[in-house]
Amino acid sequence: GENVEQHPSTLSVQEGDSAVIKCTYSDSASNYFPWYKQELGKRPQLIIDIRSNVGEKKDQRIAVTLNKTAKHFSLHITETQPEDSAVYFCAASLGGGANNLFFGTGTRLTVIP
Amino acid sequence: GAVVSQHPSRVICKSGTSVKIECRSLDFQATTMFWYRQFPKQSLMLMATSNEGSKATYEQGVEKDKFLINHASLTLSTLTVTSAHPEDSSFYICSAVGAGGHNEKLFFGSGTQLSVL
């Protein structure tokens, strides 16, 4: 099966700085890579996703990059704000959709005002 | 986006009792639902995959007789923790994948915090 590794496990940045979270996956057949944000005690929320036919996707302050050759993908948050503080999970799917997702171990991001 | 409703949000029960958690897709039909367990500061651990009208598929190490899953309709899946014990205390989250336009996205319920005394 797929194995997804996520780094770092914790990340602290000053407000306004950028944050980068990286994930690697093991199965080259994986073709869908979503990112979820989970605030304490709440449900994970999909914030951005990317498919294997695209190298980069951006949505306002959030961007995701995918390197299929190296089998890694990254989440980039620019101009961080305190409300960005949460746990972020990456995931990879073999099926092109959300039916067979394998999650990373999560990154706790803290944005210091 | 699609909405997944999960109830109850919090339950406290005595050891030995059974607890039922409901997961509903409110505005789409979910052919597949997933149940996860999440310990504090840890990732989502997939427990089982629930397909409408068929038996759930359990992950290795998850006791199917203890965690009963029923997916009787395209909008409802239930997880029953039978004879709960303190070690079953955890945050349980469901998610759903829809048919049609929603079948490429995963939507999560709000979670259930189970505390077994």
mmCIF file of all heavy atoms in Angstrom, chain B residues 7-34:
data_model
loop_
_atom_site.group_PDB
_atom_site.id
_atom_site.type_symbol
_atom_site.label_atom_id
_atom_site.label_comp_id
_atom_site.label_asym_id
_atom_site.label_seq_id
_atom_site.Cartn_x
_atom_site.Cartn_y
_atom_site.Cartn_z
ATOM 1 N N HIS B 7 -23.225 12.905 14.765
ATOM 2 C CA HIS B 7 -23.813 13.054 16.088
ATOM 3 C C HIS B 7 -23.636 11.784 16.915
ATOM 4 O O HIS B 7 -23.660 10.683 16.359
ATOM 5 C CB HIS B 7 -25.317 13.353 15.971
ATOM 6 C CG HIS B 7 -25.604 14.663 15.337
ATOM 7 N ND1 HIS B 7 -25.498 15.861 16.010
ATOM 8 C CD2 HIS B 7 -25.967 14.966 14.078
ATOM 9 C CE1 HIS B 7 -25.801 16.837 15.188
ATOM 10 N NE2 HIS B 7 -26.096 16.339 14.018
ATOM 11 N N PRO B 8 -23.478 11.883 18.209
ATOM 12 C CA PRO B 8 -23.358 13.129 18.951
ATOM 13 C C PRO B 8 -21.950 13.711 18.851
ATOM 14 O O PRO B 8 -21.040 13.048 18.375
ATOM 15 C CB PRO B 8 -23.657 12.686 20.383
ATOM 16 C CG PRO B 8 -23.135 11.291 20.439
ATOM 17 C CD PRO B 8 -23.405 10.700 19.080
ATOM 18 N N SER B 9 -21.766 14.925 19.296
ATOM 19 C CA SER B 9 -20.439 15.528 19.260
ATOM 20 C C SER B 9 -19.613 15.088 20.466
ATOM 21 O O SER B 9 -18.385 15.065 20.398
ATOM 22 C CB SER B 9 -20.558 17.052 19.239
ATOM 23 O OG SER B 9 -21.260 17.510 20.384
ATOM 24 N N ARG B 10 -20.311 14.759 21.522
ATOM 25 C CA ARG B 10 -19.602 14.333 22.731
ATOM 26 C C ARG B 10 -20.478 13.347 23.491
ATOM 27 O O ARG B 10 -21.687 13.536 23.588
ATOM 28 C CB ARG B 10 -19.284 15.542 23.617
ATOM 29 C CG ARG B 10 -18.523 15.224 24.891
ATOM 30 C CD ARG B 10 -18.242 16.512 25.659
ATOM 31 N NE ARG B 10 -17.356 17.398 24.920
ATOM 32 C CZ ARG B 10 -16.038 17.341 24.949
ATOM 33 N NH1 ARG B 10 -15.432 16.437 25.706
ATOM 34 N NH2 ARG B 10 -15.316 18.196 24.255
ATOM 35 N N VAL B 11 -19.887 12.285 23.969
ATOM 36 C CA VAL B 11 -20.650 11.313 24.756
ATOM 37 C C VAL B 11 -19.773 10.775 25.874
ATOM 38 O O VAL B 11 -18.588 10.475 25.659
ATOM 39 C CB VAL B 11 -21.209 10.183 23.862
ATOM 40 C CG1 VAL B 11 -20.102 9.452 23.129
ATOM 41 C CG2 VAL B 11 -22.049 9.219 24.666
ATOM 42 N N ILE B 12 -20.393 10.680 27.036
ATOM 43 C CA ILE B 12 -19.724 10.091 28.203
ATOM 44 C C ILE B 12 -20.560 8.889 28.621
ATOM 45 O O ILE B 12 -21.778 9.007 28.772
ATOM 46 C CB ILE B 12 -19.630 11.103 29.363
ATOM 47 C CG1 ILE B 12 -18.841 12.336 28.911
ATOM 48 C CG2 ILE B 12 -18.960 10.456 30.575
ATOM 49 C CD1 ILE B 12 -18.857 13.465 29.929
ATOM 50 N N CYS B 13 -19.930 7.757 28.762
ATOM 51 C CA CYS B 13 -20.697 6.560 29.096
ATOM 52 C C CYS B 13 -19.937 5.716 30.112
ATOM 53 O O CYS B 13 -18.743 5.901 30.327
ATOM 54 C CB CYS B 13 -20.994 5.737 27.846
ATOM 55 S SG CYS B 13 -19.543 4.981 27.105
ATOM 56 N N LYS B 14 -20.662 4.821 30.715
ATOM 57 C CA LYS B 14 -20.059 3.908 31.679
ATOM 58 C C LYS B 14 -19.443 2.719 30.945
ATOM 59 O O LYS B 14 -19.907 2.313 29.882
ATOM 60 C CB LYS B 14 -21.105 3.419 32.682
ATOM 61 C CG LYS B 14 -21.637 4.503 33.602
ATOM 62 C CD LYS B 14 -22.644 3.913 34.589
ATOM 63 C CE LYS B 14 -23.156 4.988 35.539
ATOM 64 N NZ LYS B 14 -24.152 4.438 36.507
ATOM 65 N N SER B 15 -18.443 2.163 31.551
ATOM 66 C CA SER B 15 -17.788 0.991 30.983
ATOM 67 C C SER B 15 -18.791 -0.145 30.834
ATOM 68 O O SER B 15 -19.609 -0.393 31.729
ATOM 69 C CB SER B 15 -16.639 0.569 31.902
ATOM 70 O OG SER B 15 -15.920 -0.502 31.335
ATOM 71 N N GLY B 16 -18.771 -0.809 29.683
ATOM 72 C CA GLY B 16 -19.676 -1.918 29.440
ATOM 73 C C GLY B 16 -20.890 -1.565 28.621
ATOM 74 O O GLY B 16 -21.584 -2.462 28.117
ATOM 75 N N THR B 17 -21.159 -0.285 28.465
ATOM 76 C CA THR B 17 -22.316 0.116 27.672
ATOM 77 C C THR B 17 -21.911 0.272 26.206
ATOM 78 O O THR B 17 -20.729 0.287 25.863
ATOM 79 C CB THR B 17 -22.910 1.434 28.178
ATOM 80 O OG1 THR B 17 -21.907 2.467 28.094
ATOM 81 C CG2 THR B 17 -23.364 1.298 29.616
ATOM 82 N N SER B 18 -22.925 0.388 25.342
ATOM 83 C CA SER B 18 -22.685 0.561 23.911
ATOM 84 C C SER B 18 -23.049 1.968 23.491
ATOM 85 O O SER B 18 -23.981 2.569 24.040
ATOM 86 C CB SER B 18 -23.500 -0.455 23.104
ATOM 87 O OG SER B 18 -23.038 -1.762 23.369
ATOM 88 N N VAL B 19 -22.322 2.480 22.549
ATOM 89 C CA VAL B 19 -22.532 3.845 22.077
ATOM 90 C C VAL B 19 -22.668 3.841 20.562
ATOM 91 O O VAL B 19 -21.847 3.228 19.867
ATOM 92 C CB VAL B 19 -21.347 4.748 22.487
ATOM 93 C CG1 VAL B 19 -21.498 6.140 21.890
ATOM 94 C CG2 VAL B 19 -21.230 4.813 23.999
ATOM 95 N N LYS B 20 -23.681 4.527 20.052
ATOM 96 C CA LYS B 20 -23.882 4.609 18.610
ATOM 97 C C LYS B 20 -23.576 6.023 18.130
ATOM 98 O O LYS B 20 -24.067 7.004 18.683
ATOM 99 C CB LYS B 20 -25.309 4.240 18.227
ATOM 100 C CG LYS B 20 -25.568 4.321 16.712
ATOM 101 C CD LYS B 20 -27.019 4.065 16.359
ATOM 102 C CE LYS B 20 -27.337 2.601 16.379
ATOM 103 N NZ LYS B 20 -28.695 2.312 15.826
ATOM 104 N N ILE B 21 -22.803 6.104 17.069
ATOM 105 C CA ILE B 21 -22.457 7.385 16.456
ATOM 106 C C ILE B 21 -23.009 7.395 15.038
ATOM 107 O O ILE B 21 -22.827 6.433 14.297
ATOM 108 C CB ILE B 21 -20.928 7.593 16.428
ATOM 109 C CG1 ILE B 21 -20.346 7.484 17.843
ATOM 110 C CG2 ILE B 21 -20.590 8.949 15.820
ATOM 111 C CD1 ILE B 21 -18.822 7.425 17.870
ATOM 112 N N GLU B 22 -23.670 8.487 14.682
ATOM 113 C CA GLU B 22 -24.266 8.591 13.357
ATOM 114 C C GLU B 22 -23.501 9.553 12.463
ATOM 115 O O GLU B 22 -23.031 10.597 12.920
ATOM 116 C CB GLU B 22 -25.722 9.064 13.458
ATOM 117 C CG GLU B 22 -26.659 8.074 14.074
ATOM 118 C CD GLU B 22 -28.114 8.522 13.957
ATOM 119 O OE1 GLU B 22 -28.346 9.686 13.577
ATOM 120 O OE2 GLU B 22 -29.006 7.703 14.238
ATOM 121 N N CYS B 23 -23.434 9.202 11.215
ATOM 122 C CA CYS B 23 -22.771 10.048 10.210
ATOM 123 C C CYS B 23 -23.708 10.170 9.025
ATOM 124 O O CYS B 23 -24.088 9.168 8.421
ATOM 125 C CB CYS B 23 -21.451 9.401 9.797
ATOM 126 S SG CYS B 23 -20.480 10.359 8.621
ATOM 127 N N ARG B 24 -24.095 11.400 8.720
ATOM 128 C CA ARG B 24 -25.048 11.639 7.637
ATOM 129 C C ARG B 24 -24.477 12.599 6.604
ATOM 130 O O ARG B 24 -23.875 13.619 6.952
ATOM 131 C CB ARG B 24 -26.335 12.252 8.176
ATOM 132 C CG ARG B 24 -27.146 11.356 9.074
ATOM 133 C CD ARG B 24 -28.419 12.043 9.554
ATOM 134 N NE ARG B 24 -29.145 11.205 10.499
ATOM 135 C CZ ARG B 24 -30.053 10.301 10.152
ATOM 136 N NH1 ARG B 24 -30.336 10.118 8.882
ATOM 137 N NH2 ARG B 24 -30.665 9.586 11.068
ATOM 138 N N SER B 25 -24.663 12.272 5.348
ATOM 139 C CA SER B 25 -24.360 13.227 4.288
ATOM 140 C C SER B 25 -25.648 13.982 4.011
ATOM 141 O O SER B 25 -26.672 13.393 3.698
ATOM 142 C CB SER B 25 -23.866 12.499 3.034
ATOM 143 O OG SER B 25 -24.807 11.537 2.597
ATOM 144 N N LEU B 26 -25.595 15.297 4.151
ATOM 145 C CA LEU B 26 -26.832 16.083 4.139
ATOM 146 C C LEU B 26 -27.278 16.504 2.739
ATOM 147 O O LEU B 26 -28.467 16.645 2.489
ATOM 148 C CB LEU B 26 -26.665 17.318 5.022
ATOM 149 C CG LEU B 26 -26.424 17.041 6.505
ATOM 150 C CD1 LEU B 26 -26.415 18.343 7.292
ATOM 151 C CD2 LEU B 26 -27.471 16.091 7.062
ATOM 152 N N ASP B 27 -26.370 16.738 1.854
ATOM 153 C CA ASP B 27 -26.771 17.261 0.551
ATOM 154 C C ASP B 27 -26.181 16.482 -0.609
ATOM 155 O O ASP B 27 -26.134 16.977 -1.737
ATOM 156 C CB ASP B 27 -26.406 18.746 0.444
ATOM 157 C CG ASP B 27 -24.938 18.991 0.751
ATOM 158 O OD1 ASP B 27 -24.221 18.030 1.099
ATOM 159 O OD2 ASP B 27 -24.498 20.145 0.636
ATOM 160 N N PHE B 28 -25.731 15.272 -0.327
ATOM 161 C CA PHE B 28 -25.261 14.424 -1.418
ATOM 162 C C PHE B 28 -25.365 12.975 -0.974
ATOM 163 O O PHE B 28 -25.484 12.670 0.210
ATOM 164 C CB PHE B 28 -23.822 14.766 -1.821
ATOM 165 C CG PHE B 28 -22.780 14.428 -0.775
ATOM 166 C CD1 PHE B 28 -21.995 13.296 -0.880
ATOM 167 C CD2 PHE B 28 -22.587 15.267 0.316
ATOM 168 C CE1 PHE B 28 -21.040 12.997 0.092
ATOM 169 C CE2 PHE B 28 -21.640 14.982 1.293
ATOM 170 C CZ PHE B 28 -20.863 13.841 1.170
ATOM 171 N N GLN B 29 -25.329 12.083 -1.922
ATOM 172 C CA GLN B 29 -25.403 10.665 -1.616
ATOM 173 C C GLN B 29 -23.985 10.104 -1.505
ATOM 174 O O GLN B 29 -23.179 10.260 -2.415
ATOM 175 C CB GLN B 29 -26.181 9.925 -2.710
ATOM 176 C CG GLN B 29 -27.658 10.299 -2.746
ATOM 177 C CD GLN B 29 -28.423 9.510 -3.788
ATOM 178 O OE1 GLN B 29 -27.887 9.189 -4.836
ATOM 179 N NE2 GLN B 29 -29.672 9.182 -3.490
ATOM 180 N N ALA B 30 -23.730 9.490 -0.383
ATOM 181 C CA ALA B 30 -22.382 8.984 -0.094
ATOM 182 C C ALA B 30 -22.351 7.470 -0.268
ATOM 183 O O ALA B 30 -22.828 6.730 0.574
ATOM 184 C CB ALA B 30 -21.974 9.364 1.319
ATOM 185 N N THR B 31 -21.797 7.029 -1.358
ATOM 186 C CA THR B 31 -21.699 5.592 -1.577
ATOM 187 C C THR B 31 -20.663 4.957 -0.653
ATOM 188 O O THR B 31 -20.746 3.785 -0.319
ATOM 189 C CB THR B 31 -21.305 5.296 -3.036
ATOM 190 O OG1 THR B 31 -20.120 6.037 -3.348
ATOM 191 C CG2 THR B 31 -22.409 5.717 -3.980
ATOM 192 N N THR B 32 -19.708 5.743 -0.254
ATOM 193 C CA THR B 32 -18.652 5.246 0.631
ATOM 194 C C THR B 32 -18.442 6.210 1.784
ATOM 195 O O THR B 32 -18.352 7.425 1.574
ATOM 196 C CB THR B 32 -17.318 5.086 -0.134
ATOM 197 O OG1 THR B 32 -17.525 4.252 -1.267
ATOM 198 C CG2 THR B 32 -16.257 4.464 0.768
ATOM 199 N N MET B 33 -18.378 5.660 2.966
ATOM 200 C CA MET B 33 -18.063 6.450 4.154
ATOM 201 C C MET B 33 -16.909 5.778 4.881
ATOM 202 O O MET B 33 -16.709 4.566 4.773
ATOM 203 C CB MET B 33 -19.274 6.587 5.072
ATOM 204 C CG MET B 33 -20.368 7.472 4.524
ATOM 205 S SD MET B 33 -21.708 7.707 5.730
ATOM 206 C CE MET B 33 -22.705 8.930 4.888
ATOM 207 N N PHE B 34 -16.160 6.579 5.602
ATOM 208 C CA PHE B 34 -15.004 6.080 6.331
ATOM 209 C C PHE B 34 -15.125 6.466 7.798
ATOM 210 O O PHE B 34 -15.645 7.528 8.134
ATOM 211 C CB PHE B 34 -13.710 6.687 5.772
ATOM 212 C CG PHE B 34 -13.498 6.433 4.309
ATOM 213 C CD1 PHE B 34 -13.988 7.323 3.365
ATOM 214 C CD2 PHE B 34 -12.810 5.312 3.871
ATOM 215 C CE1 PHE B 34 -13.806 7.095 2.011
ATOM 216 C CE2 PHE B 34 -12.624 5.081 2.518
ATOM 217 C CZ PHE B 34 -13.123 5.971 1.588
#
